[in-house]
Amino acid sequence: MEAPLKKVILPNGAVDWEAFQELVTEKDFLVYDPPQKKRPFWALSNLNLFTPRSPIGVGFPCCVAESVRARMRSEGHDVQHAYISKPDEWFLKMLEPPAEGNHCPEFLRGIWWMKDNVANETLLSFESAHWGSPGTKMEGVGIKHVFKNWSKGSSMWGSMLARSHEEMFGVFKISPNLQWINLDMDNWIYILQAGDKLVDPSGKPVPFTPGDDLLRVTWNDQDPKKGIYYQYIVSRVAFKDESGKLQKVHPAYDELLDRATRPTLQGACCNLFLCNISDAEYGSAYDCIDDHQIYIPGPEHPSWKPDDFLKVDRDA
């Protein structure tokens, strides 16, 4: 049987937004309880391999993370080292728009933090992506090179993830009612609204700021009726003002900085294992993110851009 979310993606890649809205009317995704921060999510839950500060493969004698980054540089990639605690210069680099102009929707501009994303992807810029021109049928469609202006932690996993994204491009499609952003049939972003009530499983409110916070959602088996598989908040932590200066968004940047600089939650055996950490504290191991980030700045060069389809229409 075909998955419900697969049915709403049309053959040309567009979304049948009306059909999609019918699948998510109950809004159960507003219960914030990220499954990926719980021990049962992981097959090797006691091995400290994927936390942002995992020591495995970092430094002498293994040096896997360093070797991966060295290989990327040898291939001509401008791998940069940066620190969340010293953001001003590199945040501005990530916000450089394409040469043809900044068509990024206003509400997506700035630096965004993928809070509670355990994949060791940390910060991204939508502004550096290529967006369709305003007032055209491609408005609200953007393509972004995940390899660039998308930071990862400097762990072995973060470095390998960065390397694997060389040929990865994300296509963002904004719904007409400005409530959803689609990447593909698995990955959806809800644009939190002023009247929404985001709560934890006990019903306690989870703070968010409309306009500065989004909600990334993946459902089990591409079916919203089967519950959440992956979930995290995407928070704007900085933006470039009209004078070109970086402005931090508070308290979001403060929380980001706290997580980047707090002491590491110590596992067992030189922090190689997490078996000494209780189930209740398990998610905290992923809250200690890596202050030391790696990213590749510069123009993004997808094989196509949204406005290319406008040229095809004119030439037809």
Side-chain angles (χ1 to χ4, degrees), residues 32 37 52 84 90-91 94 108-118 120-126 149-151 189 207 212-216 232-239 249 251-262 286-291 293:
Y32 191 66
K37 293 184 70 178
I84 291 170
W90 70 283
F91 275 18
M94 287 179 63
L108 288 178
R109 296 187 181 187
I111 298 293
W112 295 82
W113 170 31
M114 292 169 275
K115 174 182 173 181
D116 294 332
N117 179 11
V118 300
N120 213 353
E121 301 168 293
T122 313
L123 298 159
L124 71 94
S125 164
F126 291 108
N149 305 303
W150 188 304
S151 83
I189 301 173
D212 284 332
D213 288 314
L214 313 171
L215 186 63
R216 239 287 275 125
Y232 61 84
I233 291 172
V234 186
S235 293
R236 190 190 335 250
V237 294
F239 64 93
V249 177
Y253 175 75
D254 303 315
E255 184 178 0
L256 170 65
L257 180 62
D258 171 68
R259 290 201 186 187
T261 57
R262 67 175 57 171
Y286 290 90
D287 288 343
C288 303
I289 63 176
D290 196 352
D291 187 25
Q293 297 285 299

Short mmCIF file of all heavy atoms in Angstrom, two decimals, residues 32 37 52 84 90-91 94 108-118 120-126 149-151 189 207 212-216 232-239 249 251-262 286-291 293:
data_model
loop_
_atom_site.label_atom_id
_atom_site.label_comp_id
_atom_site.label_asym_id
_atom_site.label_seq_id
_atom_site.Cartn_x
_atom_site.Cartn_y
_atom_site.Cartn_z
N TYR A 32 5.83 18.15 21.59
CA TYR A 32 7.27 18.14 21.33
C TYR A 32 7.96 17.11 22.20
O TYR A 32 8.10 17.28 23.42
CB TYR A 32 7.87 19.53 21.57
CG TYR A 32 9.29 19.65 21.06
CD1 TYR A 32 9.55 19.57 19.70
CD2 TYR A 32 10.35 19.83 21.94
CE1 TYR A 32 10.85 19.67 19.22
CE2 TYR A 32 11.65 19.94 21.47
CZ TYR A 32 11.89 19.86 20.10
OH TYR A 32 13.17 19.96 19.63
N LYS A 37 16.23 11.65 20.63
CA LYS A 37 17.01 11.93 21.84
C LYS A 37 16.77 10.89 22.93
O LYS A 37 17.15 11.09 24.08
CB LYS A 37 16.69 13.33 22.36
CG LYS A 37 17.15 14.44 21.42
CD LYS A 37 16.90 15.82 21.99
CE LYS A 37 17.81 16.11 23.16
NZ LYS A 37 17.61 17.47 23.71
N PRO A 52 27.57 15.03 19.63
CA PRO A 52 28.38 16.10 19.03
C PRO A 52 29.82 16.14 19.51
O PRO A 52 30.71 16.56 18.77
CB PRO A 52 27.62 17.37 19.42
CG PRO A 52 26.21 16.92 19.60
CD PRO A 52 26.30 15.55 20.18
N ILE A 84 31.02 28.71 17.54
CA ILE A 84 29.73 29.31 17.87
C ILE A 84 29.92 30.46 18.85
O ILE A 84 29.20 31.46 18.79
CB ILE A 84 28.79 28.23 18.45
CG1 ILE A 84 28.40 27.24 17.35
CG2 ILE A 84 27.55 28.85 19.07
CD1 ILE A 84 27.67 26.01 17.84
N TRP A 90 31.93 34.62 10.66
CA TRP A 90 31.52 33.49 9.82
C TRP A 90 30.01 33.42 9.62
O TRP A 90 29.55 32.95 8.58
CB TRP A 90 32.09 32.18 10.34
CG TRP A 90 31.57 31.62 11.63
CD1 TRP A 90 31.87 32.04 12.88
CD2 TRP A 90 30.71 30.48 11.78
NE1 TRP A 90 31.24 31.24 13.82
CE2 TRP A 90 30.53 30.27 13.17
CE3 TRP A 90 30.09 29.61 10.90
CZ2 TRP A 90 29.74 29.24 13.69
CZ3 TRP A 90 29.30 28.57 11.40
CH2 TRP A 90 29.14 28.41 12.79
N PHE A 91 29.23 33.93 10.56
CA PHE A 91 27.79 34.00 10.34
C PHE A 91 27.50 34.90 9.13
O PHE A 91 26.66 34.58 8.29
CB PHE A 91 27.09 34.56 11.58
CG PHE A 91 26.76 33.52 12.63
CD1 PHE A 91 27.39 32.29 12.65
CD2 PHE A 91 25.82 33.79 13.61
CE1 PHE A 91 27.10 31.35 13.63
CE2 PHE A 91 25.51 32.85 14.59
CZ PHE A 91 26.14 31.63 14.60
N MET A 94 28.12 33.18 5.87
CA MET A 94 27.07 32.23 5.51
C MET A 94 25.83 32.92 4.95
O MET A 94 25.01 32.28 4.29
CB MET A 94 26.69 31.38 6.72
CG MET A 94 27.73 30.34 7.10
SD MET A 94 27.27 29.37 8.56
CE MET A 94 25.80 28.53 8.01
N LEU A 108 12.55 33.72 6.28
CA LEU A 108 13.57 32.67 6.38
C LEU A 108 14.99 33.24 6.41
O LEU A 108 15.95 32.47 6.43
CB LEU A 108 13.44 31.69 5.21
CG LEU A 108 12.24 30.75 5.25
CD1 LEU A 108 12.22 29.86 4.01
CD2 LEU A 108 12.25 29.89 6.52
N ARG A 109 15.12 34.53 6.43
CA ARG A 109 16.46 35.11 6.41
C ARG A 109 17.12 35.00 7.78
O ARG A 109 16.46 34.98 8.81
CB ARG A 109 16.40 36.56 5.95
CG ARG A 109 15.89 36.68 4.51
CD ARG A 109 15.98 38.08 3.95
NE ARG A 109 15.46 38.10 2.58
CZ ARG A 109 15.53 39.15 1.77
NH1 ARG A 109 16.10 40.27 2.19
NH2 ARG A 109 15.04 39.07 0.55
N GLY A 110 18.43 34.90 7.76
CA GLY A 110 19.18 34.79 9.00
C GLY A 110 19.90 33.46 9.13
O GLY A 110 19.92 32.64 8.21
N ILE A 111 20.51 33.26 10.28
CA ILE A 111 21.17 31.99 10.62
C ILE A 111 20.23 31.19 11.49
O ILE A 111 19.70 31.69 12.49
CB ILE A 111 22.50 32.25 11.37
CG1 ILE A 111 23.48 33.03 10.50
CG2 ILE A 111 23.11 30.93 11.84
CD1 ILE A 111 24.00 32.28 9.30
N TRP A 112 20.05 29.93 11.13
CA TRP A 112 19.09 29.06 11.82
C TRP A 112 19.81 27.90 12.50
O TRP A 112 20.67 27.26 11.90
CB TRP A 112 18.05 28.54 10.84
CG TRP A 112 17.18 29.63 10.27
CD1 TRP A 112 17.48 30.46 9.23
CD2 TRP A 112 15.88 30.02 10.73
NE1 TRP A 112 16.45 31.34 9.01
CE2 TRP A 112 15.46 31.10 9.91
CE3 TRP A 112 15.04 29.56 11.75
CZ2 TRP A 112 14.22 31.72 10.08
CZ3 TRP A 112 13.81 30.18 11.92
CH2 TRP A 112 13.41 31.25 11.10
N TRP A 113 19.41 27.64 13.73
CA TRP A 113 19.98 26.56 14.53
C TRP A 113 19.03 25.36 14.52
O TRP A 113 17.86 25.49 14.85
CB TRP A 113 20.19 27.06 15.96
CG TRP A 113 20.54 26.01 16.97
CD1 TRP A 113 21.24 24.86 16.78
CD2 TRP A 113 20.21 26.04 18.37
NE1 TRP A 113 21.37 24.16 17.96
CE2 TRP A 113 20.75 24.87 18.95
CE3 TRP A 113 19.52 26.94 19.18
CZ2 TRP A 113 20.60 24.58 20.31
CZ3 TRP A 113 19.38 26.66 20.53
CH2 TRP A 113 19.92 25.49 21.09
N MET A 114 19.56 24.20 14.16
CA MET A 114 18.78 22.96 14.17
C MET A 114 18.85 22.34 15.57
O MET A 114 19.53 21.36 15.82
CB MET A 114 19.31 22.01 13.09
CG MET A 114 19.04 22.52 11.69
SD MET A 114 19.91 21.60 10.38
CE MET A 114 21.50 22.47 10.39
N LYS A 115 18.12 22.94 16.46
CA LYS A 115 18.11 22.55 17.87
C LYS A 115 17.52 21.15 18.03
O LYS A 115 16.44 20.86 17.51
CB LYS A 115 17.29 23.58 18.66
CG LYS A 115 17.06 23.26 20.11
CD LYS A 115 16.19 24.35 20.72
CE LYS A 115 15.77 24.03 22.14
NZ LYS A 115 14.89 25.09 22.70
N ASP A 116 18.22 20.29 18.75
CA ASP A 116 17.80 18.91 19.01
C ASP A 116 17.92 18.00 17.79
O ASP A 116 17.42 16.87 17.80
CB ASP A 116 16.37 18.83 19.57
CG ASP A 116 16.26 19.47 20.95
OD1 ASP A 116 17.27 19.47 21.68
OD2 ASP A 116 15.17 19.96 21.31
N ASN A 117 18.60 18.47 16.75
CA ASN A 117 18.93 17.59 15.63
C ASN A 117 20.19 16.83 16.01
O ASN A 117 21.26 17.41 16.14
CB ASN A 117 19.17 18.42 14.36
CG ASN A 117 19.54 17.56 13.17
OD1 ASN A 117 19.43 16.33 13.21
ND2 ASN A 117 20.00 18.18 12.10
N VAL A 118 20.07 15.53 16.21
CA VAL A 118 21.20 14.74 16.71
C VAL A 118 22.17 14.33 15.60
O VAL A 118 23.15 13.64 15.86
CB VAL A 118 20.71 13.49 17.46
CG1 VAL A 118 19.85 13.88 18.65
CG2 VAL A 118 19.94 12.55 16.53
N ASN A 120 24.33 16.00 14.19
CA ASN A 120 25.53 16.84 14.23
C ASN A 120 25.58 17.83 13.06
O ASN A 120 26.65 18.19 12.58
CB ASN A 120 26.82 16.01 14.29
CG ASN A 120 27.91 16.72 15.09
OD1 ASN A 120 27.76 17.86 15.50
ND2 ASN A 120 29.02 16.04 15.32
N GLU A 121 24.40 18.22 12.60
CA GLU A 121 24.25 19.39 11.74
C GLU A 121 23.77 20.50 12.67
O GLU A 121 22.84 20.29 13.44
CB GLU A 121 23.21 19.14 10.65
CG GLU A 121 23.53 17.97 9.74
CD GLU A 121 22.34 17.60 8.88
OE1 GLU A 121 21.33 17.13 9.44
OE2 GLU A 121 22.41 17.80 7.67
N THR A 122 24.37 21.67 12.58
CA THR A 122 24.10 22.66 13.61
C THR A 122 23.42 23.92 13.09
O THR A 122 22.35 24.29 13.55
CB THR A 122 25.41 23.05 14.33
OG1 THR A 122 26.12 21.85 14.69
CG2 THR A 122 25.10 23.83 15.61
N LEU A 123 24.04 24.59 12.13
CA LEU A 123 23.55 25.89 11.67
C LEU A 123 23.45 25.92 10.15
O LEU A 123 24.25 25.30 9.45
CB LEU A 123 24.49 27.00 12.14
CG LEU A 123 24.62 27.15 13.67
CD1 LEU A 123 25.90 27.89 14.02
CD2 LEU A 123 23.42 27.88 14.24
N LEU A 124 22.47 26.67 9.65
CA LEU A 124 22.33 26.79 8.20
C LEU A 124 21.83 28.18 7.84
O LEU A 124 21.25 28.89 8.66
CB LEU A 124 21.38 25.73 7.65
CG LEU A 124 19.89 25.85 7.95
CD1 LEU A 124 19.17 26.57 6.82
CD2 LEU A 124 19.25 24.49 8.16
N SER A 125 22.06 28.52 6.58
CA SER A 125 21.55 29.77 6.01
C SER A 125 20.65 29.45 4.83
O SER A 125 21.07 28.77 3.89
CB SER A 125 22.72 30.65 5.56
OG SER A 125 22.27 31.67 4.68
N PHE A 126 19.41 29.93 4.89
CA PHE A 126 18.52 29.83 3.73
C PHE A 126 18.85 30.93 2.71
O PHE A 126 18.55 30.82 1.53
CB PHE A 126 17.06 29.98 4.15
CG PHE A 126 16.52 28.84 4.96
CD1 PHE A 126 16.25 28.99 6.32
CD2 PHE A 126 16.25 27.61 4.38
CE1 PHE A 126 15.73 27.95 7.07
CE2 PHE A 126 15.73 26.56 5.12
CZ PHE A 126 15.47 26.73 6.47
N ASN A 149 27.52 26.52 3.49
CA ASN A 149 26.76 27.40 4.39
C ASN A 149 25.77 26.59 5.24
O ASN A 149 24.63 27.01 5.47
CB ASN A 149 26.05 28.49 3.58
CG ASN A 149 27.02 29.26 2.71
OD1 ASN A 149 27.99 29.83 3.20
ND2 ASN A 149 26.78 29.26 1.40
N TRP A 150 26.26 25.45 5.69
CA TRP A 150 25.46 24.51 6.49
C TRP A 150 26.48 23.83 7.42
O TRP A 150 27.20 22.93 7.01
CB TRP A 150 24.80 23.50 5.57
CG TRP A 150 23.78 22.58 6.18
CD1 TRP A 150 23.97 21.73 7.23
CD2 TRP A 150 22.43 22.38 5.73
NE1 TRP A 150 22.82 21.02 7.48
CE2 TRP A 150 21.87 21.40 6.57
CE3 TRP A 150 21.67 22.92 4.70
CZ2 TRP A 150 20.55 20.96 6.40
CZ3 TRP A 150 20.37 22.48 4.55
CH2 TRP A 150 19.82 21.52 5.39
N SER A 151 26.57 24.27 8.65
CA SER A 151 27.68 23.83 9.50
C SER A 151 27.42 22.48 10.16
O SER A 151 26.28 22.11 10.45
CB SER A 151 27.98 24.89 10.57
OG SER A 151 27.13 24.77 11.69
N ILE A 189 8.68 20.90 7.34
CA ILE A 189 8.91 21.93 8.35
C ILE A 189 7.60 22.69 8.55
O ILE A 189 7.03 23.23 7.59
CB ILE A 189 10.01 22.92 7.92
CG1 ILE A 189 11.34 22.18 7.69
CG2 ILE A 189 10.19 24.01 8.97
CD1 ILE A 189 12.43 23.07 7.10
N PRO A 207 8.37 26.71 25.16
CA PRO A 207 8.45 28.08 24.65
C PRO A 207 8.90 28.13 23.19
O PRO A 207 9.76 27.37 22.76
CB PRO A 207 9.51 28.73 25.56
CG PRO A 207 9.58 27.86 26.77
CD PRO A 207 9.28 26.48 26.29
N ASP A 212 10.33 33.26 14.55
CA ASP A 212 11.73 32.91 14.76
C ASP A 212 11.94 31.43 15.03
O ASP A 212 13.09 30.99 15.16
CB ASP A 212 12.31 33.71 15.94
CG ASP A 212 12.62 35.16 15.58
OD1 ASP A 212 12.91 35.42 14.40
OD2 ASP A 212 12.56 36.02 16.48
N ASP A 213 10.87 30.67 15.12
CA ASP A 213 10.99 29.23 15.39
C ASP A 213 10.14 28.43 14.41
O ASP A 213 8.97 28.78 14.15
CB ASP A 213 10.56 28.90 16.82
CG ASP A 213 11.56 29.37 17.86
OD1 ASP A 213 12.76 29.13 17.66
OD2 ASP A 213 11.14 29.99 18.86
N LEU A 214 10.73 27.37 13.89
CA LEU A 214 10.07 26.43 12.99
C LEU A 214 10.13 25.05 13.63
O LEU A 214 10.87 24.84 14.59
CB LEU A 214 10.77 26.41 11.63
CG LEU A 214 11.11 27.75 10.98
CD1 LEU A 214 11.99 27.54 9.75
CD2 LEU A 214 9.84 28.50 10.61
N LEU A 215 9.37 24.11 13.09
CA LEU A 215 9.33 22.76 13.66
C LEU A 215 9.54 21.73 12.56
O LEU A 215 8.70 21.58 11.67
CB LEU A 215 7.99 22.52 14.35
CG LEU A 215 7.83 21.21 15.13
CD1 LEU A 215 8.81 21.16 16.30
CD2 LEU A 215 6.40 21.05 15.63
N ARG A 216 10.69 21.05 12.60
CA ARG A 216 10.99 20.00 11.61
C ARG A 216 10.36 18.69 12.04
O ARG A 216 10.45 18.30 13.20
CB ARG A 216 12.51 19.81 11.52
CG ARG A 216 13.09 20.04 10.15
CD ARG A 216 12.81 18.97 9.12
NE ARG A 216 13.78 17.88 9.19
CZ ARG A 216 13.44 16.62 9.34
NH1 ARG A 216 12.17 16.26 9.45
NH2 ARG A 216 14.36 15.68 9.38
N TYR A 232 12.50 18.24 15.54
CA TYR A 232 13.32 19.23 16.25
C TYR A 232 12.89 20.64 15.88
O TYR A 232 12.21 20.86 14.87
CB TYR A 232 14.82 19.03 15.99
CG TYR A 232 15.29 19.14 14.56
CD1 TYR A 232 15.59 20.37 13.98
CD2 TYR A 232 15.50 18.00 13.78
CE1 TYR A 232 16.06 20.47 12.68
CE2 TYR A 232 15.97 18.08 12.49
CZ TYR A 232 16.25 19.32 11.94
OH TYR A 232 16.72 19.41 10.65
N ILE A 233 13.26 21.57 16.72
CA ILE A 233 12.96 22.99 16.51
C ILE A 233 14.09 23.63 15.71
O ILE A 233 15.27 23.32 15.91
CB ILE A 233 12.77 23.71 17.86
CG1 ILE A 233 11.48 23.22 18.53
CG2 ILE A 233 12.74 25.22 17.68
CD1 ILE A 233 11.30 23.72 19.95
N VAL A 234 13.73 24.49 14.78
CA VAL A 234 14.70 25.25 14.00
C VAL A 234 14.54 26.71 14.41
O VAL A 234 13.48 27.31 14.18
CB VAL A 234 14.47 25.09 12.49
CG1 VAL A 234 15.59 25.77 11.71
CG2 VAL A 234 14.39 23.61 12.11
N SER A 235 15.56 27.28 15.05
CA SER A 235 15.46 28.62 15.63
C SER A 235 16.39 29.60 14.93
O SER A 235 17.57 29.31 14.72
CB SER A 235 15.83 28.58 17.13
OG SER A 235 14.88 27.86 17.88
N ARG A 236 15.86 30.77 14.63
CA ARG A 236 16.70 31.84 14.11
C ARG A 236 17.54 32.39 15.26
O ARG A 236 17.01 32.81 16.29
CB ARG A 236 15.85 32.96 13.51
CG ARG A 236 16.67 33.98 12.73
CD ARG A 236 15.90 35.24 12.33
NE ARG A 236 14.48 35.09 12.22
CZ ARG A 236 13.79 35.11 11.06
NH1 ARG A 236 14.43 35.27 9.93
NH2 ARG A 236 12.47 34.99 11.07
N VAL A 237 18.86 32.39 15.08
CA VAL A 237 19.75 32.86 16.16
C VAL A 237 20.47 34.15 15.80
O VAL A 237 21.07 34.79 16.68
CB VAL A 237 20.78 31.78 16.54
CG1 VAL A 237 20.09 30.57 17.16
CG2 VAL A 237 21.62 31.36 15.34
N ALA A 238 20.42 34.55 14.53
CA ALA A 238 21.08 35.80 14.13
C ALA A 238 20.56 36.21 12.76
O ALA A 238 20.01 35.40 12.01
CB ALA A 238 22.60 35.63 14.09
N PHE A 239 20.73 37.48 12.43
CA PHE A 239 20.36 37.99 11.11
C PHE A 239 21.21 39.21 10.80
O PHE A 239 21.85 39.79 11.68
CB PHE A 239 18.87 38.33 11.05
CG PHE A 239 18.46 39.46 11.97
CD1 PHE A 239 18.43 40.78 11.53
CD2 PHE A 239 18.11 39.20 13.29
CE1 PHE A 239 18.05 41.82 12.37
CE2 PHE A 239 17.74 40.23 14.15
CZ PHE A 239 17.71 41.54 13.69
N VAL A 249 19.78 37.01 17.86
CA VAL A 249 18.40 36.89 18.32
C VAL A 249 18.42 36.26 19.70
O VAL A 249 18.93 35.15 19.89
CB VAL A 249 17.56 36.02 17.35
CG1 VAL A 249 16.14 35.85 17.88
CG2 VAL A 249 17.54 36.65 15.96
N PRO A 251 16.20 35.01 23.18
CA PRO A 251 17.21 34.21 23.89
C PRO A 251 17.75 33.02 23.09
O PRO A 251 18.49 32.21 23.64
CB PRO A 251 16.44 33.72 25.11
CG PRO A 251 15.05 33.52 24.60
CD PRO A 251 14.82 34.63 23.60
N ALA A 252 17.39 32.90 21.80
CA ALA A 252 17.79 31.72 21.04
C ALA A 252 19.31 31.57 20.96
O ALA A 252 19.85 30.48 21.19
CB ALA A 252 17.19 31.77 19.64
N TYR A 253 20.00 32.67 20.63
CA TYR A 253 21.46 32.57 20.55
C TYR A 253 22.07 32.26 21.91
O TYR A 253 23.06 31.53 22.01
CB TYR A 253 22.09 33.85 19.99
CG TYR A 253 23.60 33.79 20.02
CD1 TYR A 253 24.30 33.01 19.09
CD2 TYR A 253 24.33 34.44 21.02
CE1 TYR A 253 25.68 32.90 19.15
CE2 TYR A 253 25.71 34.34 21.07
CZ TYR A 253 26.38 33.57 20.14
OH TYR A 253 27.75 33.45 20.21
N ASP A 254 21.48 32.79 22.97
CA ASP A 254 21.99 32.52 24.32
C ASP A 254 21.92 31.03 24.65
O ASP A 254 22.85 30.47 25.24
CB ASP A 254 21.19 33.32 25.36
CG ASP A 254 21.22 34.81 25.09
OD1 ASP A 254 22.31 35.34 24.80
OD2 ASP A 254 20.15 35.44 25.15
N GLU A 255 20.82 30.40 24.25
CA GLU A 255 20.70 28.95 24.50
C GLU A 255 21.69 28.17 23.64
O GLU A 255 22.30 27.20 24.10
CB GLU A 255 19.27 28.48 24.23
CG GLU A 255 19.09 27.01 24.56
CD GLU A 255 17.67 26.49 24.34
OE1 GLU A 255 16.80 27.29 23.92
OE2 GLU A 255 17.45 25.29 24.58
N LEU A 256 21.84 28.60 22.39
CA LEU A 256 22.83 27.96 21.51
C LEU A 256 24.23 28.06 22.12
O LEU A 256 24.97 27.07 22.18
CB LEU A 256 22.80 28.63 20.14
CG LEU A 256 23.93 28.27 19.17
CD1 LEU A 256 23.86 26.80 18.77
CD2 LEU A 256 23.88 29.17 17.93
N LEU A 257 24.59 29.24 22.58
CA LEU A 257 25.91 29.45 23.18
C LEU A 257 26.08 28.61 24.44
O LEU A 257 27.15 28.03 24.67
CB LEU A 257 26.09 30.93 23.51
CG LEU A 257 27.43 31.33 24.14
CD1 LEU A 257 28.59 31.02 23.20
CD2 LEU A 257 27.42 32.81 24.52
N ASP A 258 25.03 28.53 25.24
CA ASP A 258 25.09 27.72 26.46
C ASP A 258 25.36 26.25 26.13
O ASP A 258 26.21 25.60 26.75
CB ASP A 258 23.78 27.84 27.25
CG ASP A 258 23.72 26.86 28.41
OD1 ASP A 258 24.48 27.02 29.37
OD2 ASP A 258 22.91 25.90 28.33
N ARG A 259 24.66 25.73 25.15
CA ARG A 259 24.85 24.32 24.78
C ARG A 259 26.24 24.08 24.19
O ARG A 259 26.81 23.00 24.34
CB ARG A 259 23.78 23.88 23.79
CG ARG A 259 22.39 23.77 24.39
CD ARG A 259 21.52 22.87 23.55
NE ARG A 259 20.14 22.84 24.00
CZ ARG A 259 19.22 22.01 23.50
NH1 ARG A 259 19.56 21.16 22.53
NH2 ARG A 259 17.99 22.02 23.95
N ALA A 260 26.78 25.10 23.52
CA ALA A 260 28.09 24.94 22.88
C ALA A 260 29.24 25.04 23.88
O ALA A 260 30.34 24.55 23.60
CB ALA A 260 28.26 25.99 21.79
N THR A 261 29.00 25.65 25.02
CA THR A 261 30.09 25.90 25.97
C THR A 261 29.91 25.20 27.31
O THR A 261 30.81 25.27 28.16
CB THR A 261 30.24 27.42 26.21
OG1 THR A 261 29.00 27.96 26.68
CG2 THR A 261 30.64 28.13 24.92
N ARG A 262 28.80 24.53 27.53
CA ARG A 262 28.59 23.84 28.80
C ARG A 262 29.52 22.63 28.91
O ARG A 262 30.00 22.11 27.89
CB ARG A 262 27.14 23.40 28.95
CG ARG A 262 26.72 22.32 27.97
CD ARG A 262 25.30 21.81 28.21
NE ARG A 262 24.29 22.86 28.19
CZ ARG A 262 22.98 22.62 28.20
NH1 ARG A 262 22.54 21.36 28.23
NH2 ARG A 262 22.12 23.62 28.17
N TYR A 286 23.30 14.72 23.94
CA TYR A 286 23.22 15.38 22.63
C TYR A 286 23.00 16.89 22.76
O TYR A 286 23.10 17.62 21.77
CB TYR A 286 22.11 14.75 21.80
CG TYR A 286 22.45 13.35 21.36
CD1 TYR A 286 22.11 12.25 22.15
CD2 TYR A 286 23.13 13.12 20.17
CE1 TYR A 286 22.45 10.96 21.76
CE2 TYR A 286 23.47 11.83 19.78
CZ TYR A 286 23.13 10.76 20.57
OH TYR A 286 23.47 9.48 20.19
N ASP A 287 22.70 17.35 23.99
CA ASP A 287 22.53 18.78 24.21
C ASP A 287 23.88 19.50 24.28
O ASP A 287 23.94 20.71 24.07
CB ASP A 287 21.76 19.03 25.51
CG ASP A 287 20.29 18.68 25.39
OD1 ASP A 287 19.81 18.55 24.25
OD2 ASP A 287 19.63 18.52 26.43
N CYS A 288 24.94 18.77 24.60
CA CYS A 288 26.28 19.36 24.65
C CYS A 288 26.83 19.40 23.22
O CYS A 288 27.52 18.48 22.78
CB CYS A 288 27.19 18.55 25.55
SG CYS A 288 26.58 18.34 27.23
N ILE A 289 26.49 20.45 22.48
CA ILE A 289 26.90 20.50 21.08
C ILE A 289 28.34 21.01 20.97
O ILE A 289 28.94 21.47 21.94
CB ILE A 289 25.94 21.36 20.24
CG1 ILE A 289 25.94 22.82 20.71
CG2 ILE A 289 24.53 20.79 20.28
CD1 ILE A 289 25.09 23.72 19.84
N ASP A 290 28.87 20.94 19.79
CA ASP A 290 30.28 21.25 19.54
C ASP A 290 30.45 22.73 19.23
O ASP A 290 29.92 23.23 18.22
CB ASP A 290 30.76 20.40 18.36
CG ASP A 290 32.27 20.35 18.25
OD1 ASP A 290 32.94 21.10 18.98
OD2 ASP A 290 32.78 19.57 17.43
N ASP A 291 31.15 23.44 20.09
CA ASP A 291 31.47 24.85 19.81
C ASP A 291 32.28 24.96 18.53
O ASP A 291 32.12 25.89 17.74
CB ASP A 291 32.24 25.43 21.00
CG ASP A 291 32.47 26.93 20.87
OD1 ASP A 291 31.68 27.61 20.18
OD2 ASP A 291 33.44 27.44 21.47
N GLN A 293 32.93 24.26 14.98
CA GLN A 293 32.16 23.89 13.80
C GLN A 293 33.04 23.89 12.55
O GLN A 293 34.07 24.56 12.49
CB GLN A 293 31.01 24.88 13.59
CG GLN A 293 29.99 24.90 14.71
CD GLN A 293 29.08 23.69 14.67
OE1 GLN A 293 28.35 23.47 13.71
NE2 GLN A 293 29.11 22.90 15.74
#
